[in-house]
Amino acid sequence: MKRPGIRQPDPVAFIKANLPISPVPSIHEIRLHTAGPASGLWRLGGRREADPPPYWAYPWAGGAVLARHLLDQPEIVAGRRVLDLGAGSGLVAIAAAKAGAVAVTAVDIDANAIAAIGLNATINGVNIVAVAADIIGDSPPETDLLVVGDLFYDPALALRVMAFLRRCQASGIEVLIGDPERAYLPQDELRRIATHAVADFGGGGGGEAVPAGVFSLFGNG
């Protein structure tokens, strides 16, 4: 529970003051506000059971591998509309914008992530529309490419995400997934199209480099 009498700080001011800006390992083209040992994230995230963990404060391998892939192959996004699902810090969305996407939307359920995305987009000189929402129960969005970094760490979430991605694919949206083969990644439904070694600070990772894959759905492209 949140401590009585203690007001939660403004997320933009808190991130600016407590999360220093640094280049993303393996992706020197992008800099992000990133949490460290002294960031005190609990003061921003709250302590209620319903409060989402601050996943946005660290670069995860699934997002990093997608960002690296899009920057290395900008033709994937050039001139296209891109939506980054579970965007966290906005790393993949920023990479898509830098690679030439005509419009980029970043979606995350955590309002603190949305604040971080806005700050990180400004740092990197790109324009991103950031939306706080859970869209995976909705109809497919208006986009050309859906990118999904590291959303297969929980079994229930993985099932919901895959059902949504299948609906998106059926509506004509291309889907790309970045993941270091976490426990609930449905590999039998995916086709690996690239592998990169990237640092992983999520899922209990301590920032060491791990091999992560970029996948498409079977029948996608």
Side-chain angles (χ1 to χ4, degrees), residues 27 60-70 178-179 194-196 198 212-214:
I27 312 167
W60 287 47
V65 72
L66 275 175
R68 183 71 271 154
H69 189 65
L70 298 183
D179 202 279
T195 302
H196 300 275
V198 292
V214 178

Side-chain angles (χ1 to χ4, degrees), residues 11-20 33 119:
V12 170
F14 183 91
I15 292 167
K16 284 183 175 180
N18 295 282
L19 277 68
H33 284 280
L119 293 171

Side-chain angles (χ1 to χ4, degrees), residues 12-38:
V12 170
F14 183 91
I15 292 167
K16 284 183 175 180
N18 295 282
L19 277 68
I21 299 167
S22 59
V24 179
S26 311
I27 312 167
H28 65 274
E29 301 96 325
I30 294 176
R31 298 184 303 146
L32 301 176
H33 284 280
T34 304

Side-chain angles (χ1 to χ4, degrees), residues 76-144:
I76 294 171
V77 298
R80 305 177 77 190
R81 300 169 298 170
V82 178
L83 188 145
D84 182 7
L85 179 66
S89 65
L91 173 58
V92 185
I94 291 166
K98 281 183 167 291
V102 69
V104 181
T105 302
V107 178
D108 200 285
I109 62 170
D110 191 336
N112 293 326
I114 301 306
I117 291 166
L119 293 171
N120 289 332
T122 297
I123 291 167
N124 290 279
V126 296
N127 294 316
I128 293 171
V129 176
V131 179
D134 180 356
I135 67 169
I136 60 178
D138 299 343
S139 300
E142 293 290 330
T143 193
D144 303 310

